[in-house]
Amino acid sequence: MITLEVKNIQKYYGEGESRVQVLKNVTLSIEKGDFVAIIGQSGSGKSTLMNILGCLDTPSDGSYLVDGIPAGGMDSDALARLRGEKFGFIFQRYNLLASLSALENVALPAVYAGTAKRDRDARARELLTELGLGAKTQNTPSELSGGQQQRVSIARAMMNGGEIILADEPTGALDSHSGENVMKLLMQLNAEGHTLIVVTHDRHIAGYASRIIEIKDGEVISDQRKAPLRERQENTTSPLFRSSWRYMRDQFGEAFHMSVQAILAHKMRSLLTMLGIIIGIASVVSVVALGLGSQEKILANINAMGTNTIDIMPGKSFGDRNSARYKTLTVYDSDALAEQSYIDSATPSASASGSFVYRSVSATGSLTGVGEQYFTVRGLELAKGRLLTPEDVAQARAVAVLDDNTARELFPNGENPVGAVILFNRHPLEVVGVTKAPNASFGPRSTLTVWMPYTAHMARITGSQTISSITVKIADGVSAQIAEKELTRLLTSRHRGVTDFFTMNTDSIRQTIESTTNTMRLLISCIAFISLLVGGIGVMNIMLVSVTERTREIGVRMAIGARQFNVLQQFLIEAVLICLIGGVVGVLASALIGALFNRFVSDFPMSFSTASIVLALACSTVIGVIFGYMPARRASQLNPVEALAQE
Ligand SMILES: Nc1ncnc2c1ncn2[C@@H]1O[C@H](COP(=O)(O)OP(=O)(O)O)[C@@H](O)[C@H]1O
Ligand SMILES: [Mg+2]
């Protein structure tokens, strides 16, 4: 019964002028169960013919039939399936995968064929034991001798049944003793019913075969039968499962496993590839955490100020440099506002700068006249003594509350300031309290501030009714917008239609801060995006190098039945794994940065959000897929013969 048949095939290499014909009009058929040797000198076209027979290569012209079906009409998956399940290849240089153990190498064709793990491991072990390698199943190829490696590759060829075994110079790299052993093994396989095609340039080796085909310069010059064709019992190929989702899962699991091995086999390179992703992800997560931490802190401070107050200041807007020239805001404005139904209370404040003196110490600072509500509204807390009382304000008492800076400056020896009398521009003030340092993060405060009742401030210090701001507390149940609109109208009419003041409520401050930090975040995201892009291109670069470097490995995988999909999947998984591990390491690195930051910087904490971490990991996965796709696709579309020819 004829199993393989080539009719009038031609094979050319090269184009145009440099075109050479390697096979000329080769026609032959090979019967089931036969042992055929193809012999000829080096360069005569034996390997080329063998590759065509094994569906690794295609003829330039002519037809090739496998069990009566033209191979020319098959798609790449069908060819891969033939290579994996009908043929078994044995190469001169063994072509085992260096990162896999002997057992894994032998089992690999069954992985691609879709045999269950338990079955394929059992069969691989059985085959290795039969070939005398039962003790070497866990050794990698580099730990085996040439003869042992060739036996592993024979076991691999048998893995999926090996109905037709194609051996290209199987003894070429072995000493004569190991060579004899290999040939005896092959004889035995033929006796068991496997069809055997051996390519050799050695007449002695050809002597083992039943039929010898000699080719010279691409032409068959003789075809002799030396022994009768053996009868052969029917197919022994083991049944396979495939096409279920279990098959897909199994394929994925194996590809994953092999990707991990490939990454571990090149630790340094994998680490360097990851570096771009690590730095990108770590900086994004850290910066977002910094932004979030400071924003939370600022918003907490604003909330501490209370949300139902409005500040009214002279000038056009916040930061108006000429605001000192506007002298129109007076204590009468404040009184008028206090009478409105939508306002709970109004506190004017006025400030003057000058020098504070206590005994021999003097310092420059500002003295601010305020109402008793000021401290609550500003969220200032008391450290010592008492705050201003309504009586202090009503009676315009010459009492003062110092901030922590002033207390430190004027009382450097740690005396208790409460009860002491200090001078401000020669006016005596009795210190009644000291405030705690505010936990605000608006930057360091170097200014000294002292507060006194605004009534006393106007009467004793400035002697004028002009004030620097009014803080109003909105009545309960009135919205900030309405109150703001109303008081603006009232003050504008009091100032004869001129709006020489502006208002600021904490809500609008909050909005400003939020929009500022959002802008910052957008900016940072853009920078992060660029750095991740650079990292991704790095990954693509290394993956392309890796594909080039592992071309031979890809060729071997294809020769033993890997479909394009399997190769694509594996390289894609490798790229995604590298990026994902990089992402995880990046997140861990930024957690470390955060821990250090929170330990040494007390102004505000770095705040990590789950969302940013999840997003970072998702990002690194997407980068892996996007930038891994091109190299993976390139790997999967390699031509098996060319890939195998790569050194
Ligand atoms: N990819 C290729 N491109 C060009 N020429 C090739 C290629 N592969 C093989 N050849 C040529 O084809 C001829 C036959 O090669 P091959 O089949 O490997 O010979 P053998 O296995 O008999 O030594 C040689 O002359 C070789 O140089
Ligand atoms: Mg050859």
Side-chain angles (χ1 to χ4, degrees), residues 98-101 104 140 254-267 270 550 557 570 574 577:
S99 61
L100 303 185
S101 69
E104 288 169 322
T140 55
E254 281 306 315
F256 186 84
H257 178 68
M258 287 186 286
S259 303
V260 172
Q261 269 168 326
I263 290 171
L264 290 180
H266 301 99
K267 287 191 195 69
S270 309
R550 286 156 67 193
R557 287 179 188 277
Q570 187 183 341
E574 259 183 70
L577 262 184

CSV table of all heavy atoms in Angstrom, one decimal, residues 98-101 104 140 254-267 270 550 557 570 574 577:
chain,number,residue,atom,x,y,z
A,98,ALA,N,16.7,23.1,24.4
A,98,ALA,CA,17.7,23.1,25.5
A,98,ALA,C,17.1,23.4,26.9
A,98,ALA,O,17.6,22.9,27.9
A,98,ALA,CB,18.8,24.2,25.2
A,99,SER,N,16.0,24.2,26.9
A,99,SER,CA,15.5,24.5,28.2
A,99,SER,C,14.5,23.5,28.8
A,99,SER,O,14.1,23.6,29.9
A,99,SER,CB,14.8,25.9,28.2
A,99,SER,OG,13.7,25.8,27.3
A,100,LEU,N,14.2,22.4,28.0
A,100,LEU,CA,13.3,21.4,28.5
A,100,LEU,C,14.0,20.1,28.9
A,100,LEU,O,15.1,19.8,28.3
A,100,LEU,CB,12.2,21.1,27.4
A,100,LEU,CG,11.4,22.2,26.8
A,100,LEU,CD1,10.4,21.7,25.9
A,100,LEU,CD2,10.7,23.0,27.9
A,101,SER,N,13.4,19.4,29.8
A,101,SER,CA,14.1,18.1,30.2
A,101,SER,C,13.8,17.1,29.1
A,101,SER,O,13.0,17.3,28.2
A,101,SER,CB,13.4,17.7,31.5
A,101,SER,OG,12.1,17.3,31.3
A,104,GLU,N,10.2,16.3,28.9
A,104,GLU,CA,9.4,17.3,28.3
A,104,GLU,C,9.6,17.4,26.8
A,104,GLU,O,8.7,17.7,26.0
A,104,GLU,CB,9.7,18.7,28.9
A,104,GLU,CG,9.1,18.8,30.3
A,104,GLU,CD,9.7,20.0,31.1
A,104,GLU,OE1,10.9,20.4,30.9
A,104,GLU,OE2,8.9,20.6,31.8
A,140,THR,N,18.5,17.7,31.3
A,140,THR,CA,18.3,18.6,30.1
A,140,THR,C,19.3,18.0,29.0
A,140,THR,O,20.3,17.3,29.4
A,140,THR,CB,18.6,20.0,30.4
A,140,THR,OG1,19.9,20.1,31.0
A,140,THR,CG2,17.6,20.6,31.3
A,254,GLU,N,0.4,24.7,28.8
A,254,GLU,CA,1.7,24.3,28.4
A,254,GLU,C,2.5,25.5,27.8
A,254,GLU,O,3.7,25.7,28.1
A,254,GLU,CB,1.6,23.2,27.3
A,254,GLU,CG,1.3,21.9,27.9
A,254,GLU,CD,2.3,21.5,28.9
A,254,GLU,OE1,3.5,21.7,28.7
A,254,GLU,OE2,1.9,21.0,30.0
A,255,ALA,N,1.8,26.4,27.0
A,255,ALA,CA,2.5,27.5,26.5
A,255,ALA,C,3.0,28.4,27.6
A,255,ALA,O,4.1,29.0,27.6
A,255,ALA,CB,1.6,28.3,25.5
A,256,PHE,N,2.1,28.6,28.6
A,256,PHE,CA,2.5,29.4,29.8
A,256,PHE,C,3.7,28.8,30.5
A,256,PHE,O,4.7,29.5,30.8
A,256,PHE,CB,1.3,29.4,30.8
A,256,PHE,CG,1.5,30.3,31.9
A,256,PHE,CD1,1.2,31.6,31.8
A,256,PHE,CD2,2.0,29.8,33.1
A,256,PHE,CE1,1.3,32.5,32.9
A,256,PHE,CE2,2.1,30.7,34.2
A,256,PHE,CZ,1.8,32.0,34.1
A,257,HIS,N,3.7,27.5,30.7
A,257,HIS,CA,4.8,26.8,31.4
A,257,HIS,C,6.1,27.0,30.6
A,257,HIS,O,7.1,27.3,31.2
A,257,HIS,CB,4.4,25.3,31.5
A,257,HIS,CG,5.4,24.5,32.1
A,257,HIS,ND1,5.8,24.5,33.4
A,257,HIS,CD2,6.2,23.5,31.5
A,257,HIS,CE1,6.7,23.7,33.7
A,257,HIS,NE2,7.0,23.0,32.6
A,258,MET,N,6.0,26.9,29.3
A,258,MET,CA,7.2,27.0,28.5
A,258,MET,C,7.7,28.4,28.4
A,258,MET,O,8.9,28.7,28.4
A,258,MET,CB,7.0,26.4,27.1
A,258,MET,CG,6.9,24.9,27.1
A,258,MET,SD,6.8,24.1,25.5
A,258,MET,CE,5.1,24.5,25.0
A,259,SER,N,6.7,29.4,28.5
A,259,SER,CA,7.1,30.8,28.5
A,259,SER,C,7.9,31.1,29.8
A,259,SER,O,8.9,31.8,29.7
A,259,SER,CB,5.9,31.7,28.5
A,259,SER,OG,5.2,31.4,27.3
A,260,VAL,N,7.4,30.6,30.9
A,260,VAL,CA,8.1,30.8,32.2
A,260,VAL,C,9.5,30.2,32.1
A,260,VAL,O,10.5,30.9,32.5
A,260,VAL,CB,7.3,30.2,33.4
A,260,VAL,CG1,8.2,30.2,34.6
A,260,VAL,CG2,6.0,30.9,33.6
A,261,GLN,N,9.6,29.0,31.5
A,261,GLN,CA,11.0,28.4,31.4
A,261,GLN,C,11.9,29.3,30.5
A,261,GLN,O,13.1,29.5,30.8
A,261,GLN,CB,10.9,27.0,30.8
A,261,GLN,CG,10.7,26.0,31.9
A,261,GLN,CD,10.3,24.7,31.4
A,261,GLN,OE1,9.6,24.6,30.4
A,261,GLN,NE2,10.8,23.6,32.0
A,262,ALA,N,11.3,29.8,29.4
A,262,ALA,CA,12.1,30.6,28.5
A,262,ALA,C,12.6,31.9,29.2
A,262,ALA,O,13.7,32.3,29.0
A,262,ALA,CB,11.3,31.0,27.3
A,263,ILE,N,11.7,32.5,30.0
A,263,ILE,CA,12.1,33.7,30.8
A,263,ILE,C,13.2,33.4,31.8
A,263,ILE,O,14.1,34.1,31.9
A,263,ILE,CB,10.8,34.3,31.4
A,263,ILE,CG1,9.9,34.9,30.4
A,263,ILE,CG2,11.3,35.4,32.4
A,263,ILE,CD1,8.6,35.4,30.9
A,264,LEU,N,13.0,32.3,32.5
A,264,LEU,CA,14.0,31.9,33.5
A,264,LEU,C,15.3,31.6,32.8
A,264,LEU,O,16.4,31.8,33.4
A,264,LEU,CB,13.5,30.7,34.3
A,264,LEU,CG,12.3,31.0,35.2
A,264,LEU,CD1,11.9,29.8,36.0
A,264,LEU,CD2,12.7,32.1,36.2
A,265,ALA,N,15.3,31.0,31.6
A,265,ALA,CA,16.5,30.7,30.9
A,265,ALA,C,17.3,31.9,30.6
A,265,ALA,O,18.5,31.8,30.4
A,265,ALA,CB,16.2,29.8,29.7
A,266,HIS,N,16.7,33.0,30.4
A,266,HIS,CA,17.4,34.3,30.1
A,266,HIS,C,17.1,35.3,31.2
A,266,HIS,O,16.5,36.3,30.9
A,266,HIS,CB,17.0,34.8,28.7
A,266,HIS,CG,17.2,33.9,27.6
A,266,HIS,ND1,16.2,33.1,27.1
A,266,HIS,CD2,18.3,33.6,26.9
A,266,HIS,CE1,16.7,32.3,26.1
A,266,HIS,NE2,18.0,32.6,26.0
A,267,LYS,N,17.5,35.0,32.4
A,267,LYS,CA,17.1,35.9,33.5
A,267,LYS,C,17.5,37.4,33.3
A,267,LYS,O,16.7,38.3,33.5
A,267,LYS,CB,17.7,35.4,34.8
A,267,LYS,CG,17.0,34.1,35.3
A,267,LYS,CD,17.4,33.8,36.7
A,267,LYS,CE,17.1,32.4,37.1
A,267,LYS,NZ,17.9,31.4,36.4
A,270,SER,N,15.7,39.1,30.5
A,270,SER,CA,14.3,39.4,30.9
A,270,SER,C,14.2,40.5,31.8
A,270,SER,O,13.3,41.4,31.7
A,270,SER,CB,13.7,38.1,31.6
A,270,SER,OG,13.9,37.0,30.8
A,550,ARG,N,15.9,32.6,18.5
A,550,ARG,CA,15.3,31.3,18.8
A,550,ARG,C,14.6,30.7,17.5
A,550,ARG,O,13.7,29.9,17.6
A,550,ARG,CB,14.3,31.4,19.9
A,550,ARG,CG,15.0,31.5,21.2
A,550,ARG,CD,14.2,32.2,22.3
A,550,ARG,NE,13.0,31.4,22.7
A,550,ARG,CZ,12.0,31.8,23.4
A,550,ARG,NH1,12.0,33.1,23.7
A,550,ARG,NH2,11.0,31.0,23.7
A,557,ARG,N,9.9,23.3,16.9
A,557,ARG,CA,8.5,23.2,17.3
A,557,ARG,C,7.6,22.9,16.2
A,557,ARG,O,6.7,22.1,16.2
A,557,ARG,CB,8.1,24.5,18.1
A,557,ARG,CG,8.7,24.6,19.4
A,557,ARG,CD,8.3,25.9,20.1
A,557,ARG,NE,9.0,26.2,21.3
A,557,ARG,CZ,8.7,25.7,22.5
A,557,ARG,NH1,7.7,24.9,22.6
A,557,ARG,NH2,9.5,25.9,23.5
A,570,GLN,N,2.6,31.3,22.2
A,570,GLN,CA,3.7,31.2,23.2
A,570,GLN,C,4.5,32.5,23.3
A,570,GLN,O,4.8,33.0,24.4
A,570,GLN,CB,4.6,30.1,22.8
A,570,GLN,CG,5.6,29.9,24.0
A,570,GLN,CD,6.7,28.9,23.7
A,570,GLN,OE1,6.5,28.0,22.9
A,570,GLN,NE2,7.7,29.0,24.4
A,574,GLU,N,4.8,35.1,26.4
A,574,GLU,CA,6.1,35.5,27.0
A,574,GLU,C,6.1,37.0,27.1
A,574,GLU,O,6.5,37.5,28.2
A,574,GLU,CB,7.2,35.1,26.0
A,574,GLU,CG,7.9,33.9,26.6
A,574,GLU,CD,9.0,33.5,25.6
A,574,GLU,OE1,10.1,34.2,25.6
A,574,GLU,OE2,8.9,32.4,25.0
A,577,LEU,N,3.8,38.1,29.9
A,577,LEU,CA,4.4,37.8,31.2
A,577,LEU,C,5.5,38.8,31.6
A,577,LEU,O,5.5,39.2,32.8
A,577,LEU,CB,5.0,36.4,31.2
A,577,LEU,CG,4.1,35.3,31.7
A,577,LEU,CD1,4.9,33.9,31.7
A,577,LEU,CD2,3.7,35.6,33.1
